[in-house]
Amino acid sequence: MNLQKLSPWNWFKSENADTPTPPSSVEPRRSELSPFMGMHQELDRWMDSVMRQFGMPSLESRVGDLPGLLQPRLDIAEHDSEYVISVEVPGVEEKDLSISLDDHRLVIEGEKRQESHSKDNKLHRIERSYGRFQRVLDLPGDAKAEDIKASFKNGILTIRVPRSEQAKAARREIPIQ
């Protein structure tokens, strides 16, 4: 099930277009177990597509190539006068964030930097991810791109996108009879 279809506006159509679906690298084997291998391969393909829909890396990814793990999570709220986008970026400093407008696409970029460790520290386990990230959001038609404002506090980037008055005037309630 594609969860993107449940939202009234597809904010992520450009972001998903930039990440093509990789072809399956598993070749079918011709043996007496081929029906079971076929089921196994189909299950792998299905799990990869489910994981990609939720922004997780596919099973075929290598450890050094996991952009989905660093992709910040966000919430989009719609109000009468504005859209509010809250992006969760813990451990990222404000100076390492940038927001730009490319045509009618909002581009949020940043970098989570690794803390420097001295040679005396012996790390036993590293679970945190570091590196660059990017989110691309397609703005709805009623967004006033020239009036977008952003603020940053406690690891949350809040972007306010005002809505045009024309869109509100064009909206009307339809009575149920």
Side-chain angles (χ1 to χ4, degrees):
M1 176 168 98
N2 187 354
L3 297 178
Q4 307 291 334
K5 292 180 182 177
L6 296 177
S7 64
W9 173 259
N10 191 355
W11 290 82
F12 306 101
K13 65 183 174 188
S14 293
E15 190 171 69
N16 291 337
D18 293 343
T19 56
T21 303
S24 176
S25 61
V26 180
E27 292 294 321
R29 259 193 248 163
R30 303 284 182 233
S31 69
E32 58 260 359
L33 294 178
S34 64
F36 294 110
M37 287 300 293
M39 272 186 358
H40 180 52
Q41 291 167 356
E42 194 59 37
L43 184 60
D44 283 348
R45 277 192 287 273
W46 179 79
M47 284 299 295
D48 276 347
S49 73
V50 168
M51 290 177 76
R52 265 189 248 102
Q53 284 179 352
F54 289 102
M56 297 293 293
S58 75
L59 297 172
E60 298 172 349
S61 297
R62 293 181 306 279
V63 175
D65 185 30
L66 298 176
L69 287 178
L70 201 54
Q71 190 176 49
R73 300 292 173 222
L74 55 86
D75 295 333
I76 301 172
E78 176 182 353
H79 303 286
D80 288 340
S81 61
E82 68 181 352
Y83 297 102
V84 179
I85 304 164
S86 301
V87 185
E88 191 176 62
V89 284
V92 177
E93 295 183 32
E94 185 176 350
K95 67 179 179 65
D96 293 326
L97 290 170
S98 75
I99 305 168
S100 60
L101 201 57
D102 180 13
D103 195 14
H104 215 60
R105 298 183 320 163
L106 187 67
V107 180
I108 304 164
E109 296 177 294
E111 182 172 4
K112 185 175 179 185
R113 299 178 191 273
Q114 187 171 11
E115 300 162 4
S116 60
H117 297 283
S118 68
K119 291 184 179 182
D120 295 339
N121 289 346
K122 293 181 181 174
L123 297 174
H124 291 269
R125 184 180 183 113
I126 297 176
E127 292 185 348
R128 299 186 304 174
S129 300
Y130 303 96
R132 296 199 55 74
F133 60 84
Q134 175 179 329
R135 294 300 304 259
V136 180
L137 302 175
D138 289 278
L139 295 176
D142 65 343
K144 291 171 62 175
E146 64 277 359
D147 294 331
I148 295 175
K149 295 192 179 350
S151 62
F152 183 76
K153 184 177 179 182
N154 297 333
I156 304 292
L157 174 66
T158 304
I159 303 168
R160 296 186 178 281
V161 182
R163 299 176 75 180
S164 68
E165 295 294 324
Q166 296 166 350
K168 281 195 265 183
R171 189 176 200 176
R172 66 180 180 93
E173 293 291 322
I174 299 172
I176 301 172
Q177 300 191 8

